[in-house]
Amino acid sequence: MKESVVSAKKPIKTVIGPIHPALKEPIKFIFEIDGEKVIKVDLAPGHNHRGLEWMATRRNAVQTLYVSERICGICSISHSIAYCRAIEQAADIEVPVRADYLRTIFAEMERIHSHLLWAGVAALELGFDTLFYKAWEVREDLMDLLEYLTGNRVNYGVLQIGGVRRDITPDQHARINKSLLNYTILFDELYDMFLEDTVLRMRCRDTGVLTPEDALKLCTVGPVIRASGIATDVRQDFPYCAYGDLDIKAITPEALAGEVHGDVFDRIIVRLLEVKQSIEIIQQSMKKMPIGPLTNFPKLMVLLNHIKQAEGEGIGRHEAPRGEVFHYIRLAANQESPLVWKVKASTYSNAMSWVKMLEGEQIADIPIIVASVDPCISCTDRVAMVDKGRTSIFTQDDLRRLSRKKTERIRQGLK
Amino acid sequence: MFRLPMVPRVLKQLFNKPATNPFPARHLPKSITRFLEKVAAGKAELVLPLEVPEGFRGKIGYNPEGCTACSLCARVCPANAIEVNREEKTVTVYAGHCIQCGQCTEVCPKNNLFMTKEFLTATTDRYSEEMVLT
Amino acid sequence: MSISKALNKSLWVYHVNTGSCNGCDIEIVAAITPRYDPERFGIKLVGTPRHADVILVTGPVTNKMKDKLLRVYHQTPDPKLVMVIGACGVSGGPFYESYTLSGPVDDVVPVDVYVPGCPPRPESIIFGVVTALKKLEEIQKK
Amino acid sequence: MTEIFLKLIIGVVSMTALGIVGGFIIQGVDRKLAALMQARIGPLLRQPWWDFLKLMRKENVVPEHAVPWVYNAAPIMAFASVITIFLYLPFAGFNPLMEGYGDLILIMYLLAMPALAMVFGGFASGSPYATIGAQREMVTMIGYELPLGAIVISFAWKMAQSGLAHPFSLKTIAANPIWNLVGPFGIIGFILLLLAMIVVTPAELSKGPFDAPEAKSELAEGLLVEYSGRNLAMFYLALGAKMIAMLGLTVALFFPYTISQYFQVDTTVKIVIEVLFYIIKIFLVMFVSVTLMRVSMARFRITQIVEIYWKLGGTMTFLGLFLIMLDGKL
Amino acid sequence: MNDNILTPEQVVEQFQQCLGDGLQASRIVKRSEGLKSAESIQIWLTIDKTKIKIAVQQLCDIQYPHLSVISGCDMGEGIELLYHFFIYYGVARGEYSVTIRTTLPKTDLIIDTITDLIPGALTSEREKQEFFGLQVLNIPDSRRMFLPDDFPEGVYPWRKDETGIKEEMVKKLHEVGKAEGAQRRAKNK
């Protein structure tokens, strides 16, 4: 009886987010729903704006480097690589070759951990806790390795403008090689668990399809566009760091299945194959890495003065785990902070493709489709700033006072 | 064909050792306060968290001796966690503000700032004695 | 049996992201994986504030999320605890000045336990829960 | 008449206690086993008890848009109907308390009651998530009632065909283990029915992979999204007790065997052995049909759930019924 | 899409042909990184703001471009918009970066939309509208994207003039509770 009311002509509006268990980050979707089917999707981002680009114009380049690392905790290396490359181009700073290789190694490790993280979260969205635990067990091992090499599990802080801060010493090689070997084995197991599971395939095949034409038109990047069959990858097309030496090939689902659906399952395939590729890249770079200095600016204050004097503009790109990140920086002479810093994160480009993927799908598929893009809202939302009108500030203060009072009361009650 | 590769794996795991590191105790002790007291007295054993590697960036440490308040650290600090006291020739480091990038420890000419391996820093007052280093 | 004694044994956690960089959120998720497994303490991540006893807040509280955080705080039935995870929720961290932020968290809702770190390790988060339990026990004793 | 009332009062009291305690134990075991399978240490066995205690002491919030009396009555209704099932279920070789007053059909209806109560509660809470969850619960019910009904009919048909009186009575079924009545075709048929029963169980109990109505990552706990405190605790109780009821039904239908007759001991020991044996049976069935299912599979979409029950479940049960009938003709 | 791949000089030449005087300046930057010293090619074009659509159309004729983002900079008397395009993607080392720069004077902050050619530009254009206070003509969806609806009108965060962020709007998070904290510490001593 109730059902017929709902599936009558007028679709109901449902808001998902900004706080929702499926979304680890705040973003709001407004859905128009008919029964279980999604009719219309609207996106309201902006809950995560911290105004980073504006902050950068009040700080010096080194301070901003660490802010760039914290644009997103998962792509922490990606954004700082792009930021460093942009500022290096703008201030004409040379990077030693060894530093380029080290950046490559750290970036690829981050890709492995990010893809495994994504695989786990995707399993969680599908209600498959065991697979989530399994994927994160493998990832946890990698986090140990990253902590061993960089000193932190998430925000590595290894990059510096003009080079890197930490070296990989020869006695660390053994540990890395051992772990990499371990991953190849574990990877095969994960591969089996993800791609051979019938239930998983039932859920992901032909769900959230994005055609190559739409993918191009909506400017999507990274695994999303590759899963739609377009072999574009910044590492391959526009080589930087050490990628020019390593012959990278963009991965499309054709490599495995011989056909492209552009659905969620294809995105799983692309990401899993990229994990394998990253392991190979790290192994190659470890072999090819030359001996040399880590940075041409060992004194930080010299670097800061150099940037202060410099004038120019630069763009930095990096193929982050979720796709291309793009930084544009313009420096003005005799000014510590950059004139402008523009950040484009991968999800910023991919956000529009959600609308196309979600329309006509079921409610149950919303989380996995949203997750299939591997959204990183903190990346996307880093820009804008929010301010409340005066009147509402008062009411909020009232609210806060009330809530404080209530807590006090409870604490009294507890005693 | 209907395939569930997870089934044999979970059945096997049922008889394997769990991957959990039981920090700080296997299950919740009856009273945390008493448990911690017992640990301090050496009567109970605290399961330690996994070892942190060499070069881990934990809570920041500060040694005021010989500090010249040159303010290099405050200039590079991305979190504004360092305040320079020019008259006393010291700095005040707010560990709650610190984002553990370790940049200040690298620029400090006298190595007065350093990263410790401590990371169990949860507190009920973010401006308590332990959280503000002078 | 007093109310909070039962609370100690079964803390259900609800996670709110108020504009953090994801680092802490990922570490919170990492903290529920087998290596750390807080379910052995009866801690479990729930999907709605109505079921929660502890609210984990990450991030420096953007203006847009401020109302939502307050709403979650009010939706959570009493008694409840608030834990802040990460430097930016504790004090703003690298986002120490901005006009899009209205944090830190204790300027918006009362906070019981702070877990600093950028991000804190999962063990550190578990230790944060232990600190919260200690605080609860102290309140119960009084 | 007084005897029945006396029986009823004692029965209700003891069965309520049994349902509560058993529900806690079985949920604890389920959680512990799932944790072990996922390479975790997992909670203590008494964790559900702590959860319940805590929930009972928490604030009970009635949301603004809710219909208070339906909202508050739903959990009680769910729990009460589960307890009623116990009165008609045979336990550990004992006959059902209310034998002669209700049969398999009644149990089928009673099993639907907690789910219906949750649906009412979901609609009454006025949250869109709960509304979607309630719709899904109803769709799921429509889905699994078909194979469940087919199973019940198969049993009754076989009983009637074997010339037994009261073919729908659980007492009859429990007294005459079904495997003894049929030939090889029938055994294959009943194995199919058992498989169907195993697939129906998780949906009946709102456990994964058929937990679409409560999907945490989709609907923020779905039906229960607005429930808190005492009401939520009642639902947990009801779900725990329902788990026992459902597993008890499976055991009563498919494995009604007793073993005490093989031991030369006195009656009290026999009862203990019987109860232990029954518990083992229940846990085994639970392990296969609840724990293993939920840790080793991803959640199905709601349309897939219906498809599975109607196509796969329907085919399986009707094939089973056909084989049983074929067996009777040979 | 043309099968023959143009050199960067030819790309600039094509723009010269179709834009005429509209192409105010052009610059080709070649930078290399890593051991093999593979060169990556960046083309920077400065064009008149009325010609933006023709320029993008020209780019589409060469190959349907990938638009990374539209960035901008407040230069005092005008706002500079930079359209960061990439062509010849999907080929190893083959990609060119094409950045189209155009200046809008502050007296006339209007520019044509390019969403009819590249639908994915919508996010970027909406963002520029709210952050620079410019007007994009014929934009299919002109709602605010990142800023909330109650953000004060006439304040544009990325502007450096009087319409930019005022100092009193800035909240200093690191100062909150500092003084009280110091008092508490002093008391405990």
Side-chain angles (χ1 to χ4, degrees), chain A residues 22 125-126 130 203 362 365, chain D residues 136 217-218 295 299 301 303:
Chain A
E125 310 297 12
L126 289 173
T130 320
R203 285 296 307 265
Q362 291 184 358
D365 290 331
Chain D
R136 284 184 174 187
S217 54
E218 287 162 25
V295 297
R299 183 186 303 126
R301 217 180 284 159
T303 43

Side-chain angles (χ1 to χ4, degrees), chain A residues 137-352:
Chain A
E137 232 181 291
V138 181
R139 177 181 173 272
E140 207 56 39
D141 204 45
L142 189 77
M143 300 302 277
D144 283 348
L145 184 64
L146 272 167
E147 194 181 32
Y148 173 66
L149 295 175
T150 66
N152 195 307
R153 282 164 56 95
V154 173
N155 292 320
Y156 316 110
V158 280
L159 255 68
Q160 187 50 274
I161 299 157
V164 289
R165 280 171 66 193
R166 278 191 196 212
D167 198 3
I168 295 181
T169 53
D171 48 313
Q172 285 175 323
H173 281 246
R175 164 86 196 262
I176 300 173
N177 286 332
K178 200 184 113 210
S179 299
L180 288 179
L181 212 65
N182 194 12
Y183 301 144
T184 13
I185 302 164
L186 288 170
F187 167 77
D188 285 340
E189 213 173 305
L190 269 185
Y191 189 85
D192 193 40
M193 284 188 260
F194 269 98
L195 302 185
E196 301 294 327
D197 195 308
T198 316
V199 181
L200 213 78
R201 189 181 283 252
M202 273 167 77
R203 285 296 307 265
C204 299
R205 250 306 165 224
D206 298 319
T207 309
V209 176
L210 188 70
T211 58
E213 293 77 43
D214 283 336
L216 266 182
K217 276 191 178 153
L218 296 172
C219 304
T220 45
V221 292
V224 179
I225 194 167
R226 287 199 284 277
S228 290
I230 296 167
T232 151
D233 188 323
V234 183
R235 297 175 293 167
Q236 165 202 285
D237 304 344
F238 203 82
Y240 54 97
C241 290
Y243 289 116
D245 303 332
L246 297 167
D247 293 320
I248 316 275
K249 252 189 102 27
I251 286 176
T252 51
E254 274 165 335
L256 185 84
E259 51 179 354
V260 177
H261 294 250
D263 54 11
V264 176
F265 199 70
D266 275 355
R267 281 167 220 142
I268 299 181
I269 294 177
V270 168
R271 290 207 173 89
L272 284 180
L273 291 180
E274 278 185 19
V275 172
K276 203 173 175 189
Q277 186 190 32
S278 292
I279 296 174
E280 280 159 16
I281 293 175
I282 297 172
Q283 281 166 337
Q284 270 190 51
S285 338
M286 300 262 295
K287 277 196 203 112
K288 286 192 181 171
M289 185 162 57
I291 311 270
L294 295 179
T295 168
N296 291 335
F297 287 90
K299 286 256 184 287
L300 213 57
M301 290 305 144
V302 181
L303 175 74
L304 278 175
N305 278 338
H306 181 93
I307 293 169
K308 191 174 177 184
Q309 248 91 65
E311 186 171 3
E313 56 190 338
I315 55 176
R317 293 168 87 203
H318 171 64
E319 181 75 23
R322 292 114 198 271
E324 171 208 40
V325 295
F326 177 98
H327 285 224
Y328 169 78
I329 276 193
R330 176 178 289 185
L331 298 174
N334 291 322
Q335 198 180 319
E336 271 231 304
S337 43
L339 202 60
V340 64
W341 176 38
K342 174 79 190 107
V343 181
K344 198 262 333 182
S346 7
T347 312
Y348 183 98
S349 302
N350 286 339
M352 295 214 21

Side-chain angles (χ1 to χ4, degrees), chain D residues 242-263:
Chain D
K242 193 179 169 188
M243 206 153 146
I244 294 208
M246 190 64 198
L247 297 170
L249 183 66
T250 312
V251 169
L253 285 179
F254 290 96
F255 313 107
Y257 294 100
T258 51
I259 52 164
S260 56
Q261 63 268 30
Y262 303 116
F263 295 92

Side-chain angles (χ1 to χ4, degrees), chain E residues 6 26 47 51 66 68 74-75 77-78 101 128 136 142 144 152 154 167 172 178 185:
Chain E
L6 305 172
S26 69
I47 63 162
K51 297 282 169 69
H66 165 66
S68 217
D74 185 348
M75 302 301 286
E77 68 279 359
R101 185 198 308 265
K128 298 295 118 27
V136 179
S142 65
R144 275 181 170 170
E167 197 56 37
K172 291 199 174 354
K178 222 175 208 175
R185 278 200 307 281

Side-chain angles (χ1 to χ4, degrees), chain D:
Chain D
M1 204 62 196
T2 33
E3 193 194 356
I4 288 206
F5 273 115
L6 203 67
K7 226 177 167 181
L8 199 64
I9 289 162
I10 296 169
V12 165
V13 172
S14 58
M15 285 299 141
T16 309
L18 184 78
I20 292 172
V21 176
F24 284 139
I25 293 171
I26 208 156
Q27 276 179 325
V29 173
D30 173 44
R31 280 172 70 176
K32 183 80 187 174
L33 280 176
L36 285 177
M37 281 202 253
Q38 290 166 339
R40 300 183 287 133
I41 288 180
L44 290 168
L45 281 185
R46 55 178 181 275
Q47 189 59 49
W49 163 246
W50 288 117
D51 289 350
F52 170 74
L53 262 192
K54 178 208 64 185
L55 284 175
M56 284 306 276
R57 308 294 179 108
K58 288 268 294 188
E59 188 184 13
N60 188 11
V61 183
V62 179
E64 216 173 301
H65 304 291
V67 187
W69 68 269
V70 185
Y71 179 85
N72 286 322
I76 296 164
M77 190 170 115
F79 184 64
S81 52
V82 178
I83 295 303
T84 325
I85 302 176
F86 282 128
L87 301 179
Y88 299 99
L89 264 188
F91 275 98
F94 304 110
N95 285 332
L97 266 167
M98 300 294 289
E99 62 164 301
Y101 292 92
D103 54 13
L104 211 46
I105 303 289
L106 181 70
I107 290 185
M108 249 186 79
Y109 277 108
L110 283 175
L111 270 175
M113 284 297 285
L116 272 177
M118 278 172 81
V119 169
F120 283 134
F123 278 128
S125 32
S127 151
Y129 292 129
T131 315
I132 295 170
Q135 286 174 30
R136 284 184 174 187
E137 179 74 48
M138 274 162 69
V139 174
T140 316
M141 272 169 70
I142 295 167
Y144 65 69
E145 289 298 337
L146 175 78
L148 193 64
I151 292 169
V152 168
I153 289 168
S154 309
F155 269 91
W157 188 86
K158 187 68 213 167
M159 293 292 153
Q161 202 244 348
S162 307
L164 296 165
H166 307 296
F168 276 102
S169 153
L170 263 172
K171 188 188 168 195
T172 323
I173 294 171
N176 303 285
I178 199 81
W179 309 101
N180 304 349
L181 295 177
V182 291
F185 279 115
I187 289 185
I188 299 173
F190 275 111
I191 286 175
L192 281 174
L193 291 187
L194 177 62
L195 286 177
M197 190 73 183
I198 286 173
V199 178
V200 168
T201 310
E204 188 70 79
L205 301 173
S206 318
K207 296 269 183 205
F210 301 101
D211 58 345
E214 274 169 56
K216 186 172 144 196
S217 54
E218 287 162 25
L219 293 176
E221 317 265 347
L223 281 173
L224 302 176
V225 65
E226 293 290 347
Y227 276 99
S228 63
R230 205 181 56 241
N231 283 337
L232 188 62
M234 283 306 276
F235 269 130
Y236 273 91
L237 270 190
L239 281 178
K242 193 179 169 188
M243 206 153 146
I244 294 208
M246 190 64 198
L247 297 170
L249 183 66
T250 312
V251 169
L253 285 179
F254 290 96
F255 313 107
Y257 294 100
T258 51
I259 52 164
S260 56
Q261 63 268 30
Y262 303 116
F263 295 92
Q264 300 295 327
V265 282
D266 51 313
T267 335
T268 25
V269 185
K270 267 190 176 172
I271 289 174
V272 172
I273 290 175
E274 222 35 83
V275 168
L276 282 177
F277 184 60
Y278 186 75
I279 290 172
I280 290 169
K281 281 195 287 191
I282 290 261
F283 280 143
L284 276 180
V285 175
M286 179 208 73
F287 180 74
V288 176
S289 63
V290 177
T291 320
L292 189 61
M293 292 274 267
R294 93 186 156 99
V295 297
S296 63
M297 259 183 255
R299 183 186 303 126
F300 287 104
R301 217 180 284 159
I302 187 76
T303 43
Q304 286 171 340
I305 290 181
V306 178
E307 235 168 73
I308 283 173
Y309 283 130
W310 283 32
K311 287 195 185 146
L312 192 79
T315 323
M316 243 157 69
T317 43
F318 284 121
L319 189 66
L321 183 58
F322 176 71
L323 282 172
I324 294 160
M325 285 177 160
L326 196 69
D327 187 59
K329 293 278 174 286
L330 290 173

